[in-house]
Amino acid sequence: MLYDNHGRPINYLRLAVTDRCNLRCFYCMPAKGIDYLPRKELLTYEEMERTVRLMAGLGINKVRITGGEPFLRKGMMDFLERLLQIDGLEKLNITTNGTLTAGLVPKLKAIGINSVNLSLDSLDAQRFFEITRRDSFGTVMQTFHELLDNDMPTKINCVVMNGRNIGDIIPLVELAKGHPVGVRFIEEMPFNGSGENSGSTAWAYPQILQHIQSYFPEIQKLEDGPSSTSFNYKIPGFKGTIGIIAAYSRLFCGTCNRIRLTPQGMLKTCLYDDGVFNLKNLIREGGTDGHLKTALLEALGNRAKDGFETERKRNSFGLPLGESMATIGG
Ligand code: SAM
Ligand code: SF4
């Protein structure tokens, strides 16, 4: 088992396999998109597989594939199958916008993907278009139904945006009435690729909860798992659950069990850091597994206690957080 310098167990890697995306969610990217990395700057599948194998040997037993949009990368299914062969890896999960996932779900289930998080910020086609700047609502809903039809454990991720989709909160909560899904509301973070700090606390965890409580006063708190990022709730009679992720308020740092690898191979030990070392460069300079392990352990030995401390330590401290979430993986 891996531990950081604050005694937190680290067993979870979020692996962003590409920075490319076919949507333009305005909380993540500007309308014109972001400057994508040159292809050769992306970690190759072989480099990612080697890294996951090494980390699994050290105690990382859960990996989430994210991006950008993971299914834009060619050969994704083969890659997932290869990862699933790695000893020590117990859970392989995916976060997707669902635009390219319809049709793939039976295979994802068959190869052993444990769960899928589907991003869905609105149940209204027009509002979905205004948020994502693309007309893909129907396809994403097709993916949603395919996930449920195939009994794939599914969570819905909705970023709560002041003045944009507050009217969507209750319809999304109601999705959990008839469907066994975890609907999670995420505080908007300032990672929209524009350099303009749009992260807003106007709709933070307490406001989101109060809003839901005003419609469903019978809502009940559930016990949260040891490293849960969401505060979880149940509404009597509902098949699914409700979660709220205080990502901007950073209320979960004390039990954070995760590290991140960006598409360009930067290791991040906190969502709010600007990368602690470039693992891809180390690999391409001929680094052995021993070198990689040493670098990883050193990074975990220097982890900030929370996202606020991390932000103060950024090279660019004082400037707005400018990167797109598509380059981080969420
Ligand atoms: N493209 C995939 C998707 O949208 O599910 C995977 C990558 S996306 C960056 C991962 C998660 O980050 C999504 O659930 C998305 O809603 C969330 N996200 C993106 N930008 C965010 C922001 N500024 N604040 C909060 N969550 C954000
Ligand atoms: Fe693409 Fe996901 Fe970012 Fe939306 S949140 S632009 S789907 S990477």
Side-chain angles (χ1 to χ4, degrees):
M1 182 59 105
L2 286 169
Y3 289 89
D4 72 6
N5 48 320
H6 301 279
R8 293 173 290 204
I10 306 294
N11 67 335
Y12 176 17
L13 169 70
R14 294 182 66 100
L15 178 61
V17 295
T18 181
D19 58 349
R20 274 82 170 149
C21 194
N22 53 348
L23 298 188
R24 292 286 178 275
C25 307
F26 82 89
Y27 51 77
C28 180
M29 280 195 198
K32 64 178 174 24
I34 53 171
D35 292 334
Y36 290 140
L37 292 164
R39 216 157 275 280
K40 63 177 186 337
E41 292 300 325
L42 297 175
L43 280 170
T44 65
Y45 279 136
E46 289 69 26
E47 288 165 342
M48 289 190 276
E49 188 182 341
R50 175 180 169 192
T51 305
V52 173
R53 183 167 280 111
L54 176 95
M55 289 183 175
L58 297 171
I60 298 288
N61 57 15
K62 176 175 165 188
V63 172
R64 174 170 300 281
I65 303 296
T66 174
E69 176 44 41
F71 290 105
L72 272 179
R73 190 145 177 185
K74 286 201 187 75
M76 181 52 50
M77 276 296 180
D78 291 345
F79 175 60
L80 296 174
E81 287 193 71
R82 288 214 300 275
L83 290 187
L84 283 158
Q85 306 305 315
I86 292 176
D87 280 345
L89 186 62
E90 292 165 16
K91 284 192 178 158
L92 188 59
N93 303 325
I94 300 174
T95 297
T96 175
N97 64 26
T99 55
L100 304 166
T101 323
L104 298 178
V105 178
K107 175 115 195 254
L108 292 174
K109 180 83 181 172
I111 64 175
I113 296 299
N114 291 89
S115 72
V116 172
N117 287 3
L118 180 68
S119 296
L120 183 60
D121 303 305
S122 176
L123 287 176
D124 177 89
Q126 176 59 26
R127 198 129 57 187
F128 180 96
F129 175 77
E130 286 161 13
I131 292 168
T132 64
R133 304 180 176 113
R134 296 290 183 274
D135 190 11
S136 302
F137 179 70
T139 323
V140 174
M141 288 312 288
Q142 204 180 322
T143 296
F144 171 70
H145 289 294
E146 205 173 289
L147 288 166
L148 295 184
D149 291 347
N150 285 276
D151 293 324
M152 178 68 86
T154 300
K155 289 183 187 145
I156 300 298
N157 284 347
C158 165
V159 179
V160 178
M161 294 157 279
N162 193 22
R164 301 298 285 254
N165 66 343
I166 302 309
D168 292 292
I169 295 178
I170 298 305
L172 283 163
V173 167
E174 285 169 342
L175 204 57
K177 187 170 190 177
H179 301 293
V181 290
V183 178
R184 289 126 46 95
F185 297 97
I186 308 174
E187 290 178 359
E188 184 183 3
M189 292 177 267
F191 295 114
N192 58 19
S194 75
E196 283 164 27
N197 196 329
S198 81
S200 147
T201 46
W203 280 86
Y205 166 47
Q207 287 76 23
I208 299 170
L209 179 59
Q210 273 164 25
H211 182 67
I212 300 173
Q213 275 170 332
S214 69
Y215 285 80
F216 298 101
E218 69 277 30
I219 192 168
Q220 296 165 0
K221 183 80 188 71
L222 292 171
E223 200 173 318
D224 301 318
S227 299
S228 175
T229 51
S230 53
F231 296 104
N232 298 299
Y233 294 85
K234 170 108 189 126
I235 298 174
F238 277 40
K239 289 189 177 157
T241 58
I242 308 300
I244 304 175
I245 303 183
Y248 191 52
S249 312
R250 288 161 252 193
L251 298 181
F252 45 65
C253 300
T255 56
C256 179
N257 64 341
R258 58 196 60 198
I259 54 177
R260 293 173 167 79
L261 198 55
T262 72
Q264 64 175 320
M266 285 299 274
L267 183 85
K268 287 169 70 76
T269 58
C270 174
L271 179 55
Y272 285 84
D273 70 34
D274 40 13
V276 290
F277 81 94
N278 194 311
L279 198 133
K280 177 193 70 207
N281 292 349
L282 189 53
I283 291 177
R284 293 187 187 174
E285 283 156 10
T288 62
D289 281 0
H291 292 133
L292 294 173
K293 180 177 166 185
T294 304
L296 176 65
L297 295 182
E298 194 182 317
L300 290 182
N302 279 301
R303 213 163 165 241
K305 80 173 190 314
D306 59 31
F308 295 103
E309 185 183 325
T310 307
E311 208 179 326
R312 289 194 296 274
K313 285 169 138 182
R314 280 172 73 101
N315 296 326
S316 56
F317 179 58
L319 297 172
L321 299 168
E323 59 266 44
S324 159
M325 195 65 99
T327 67
I328 301 174

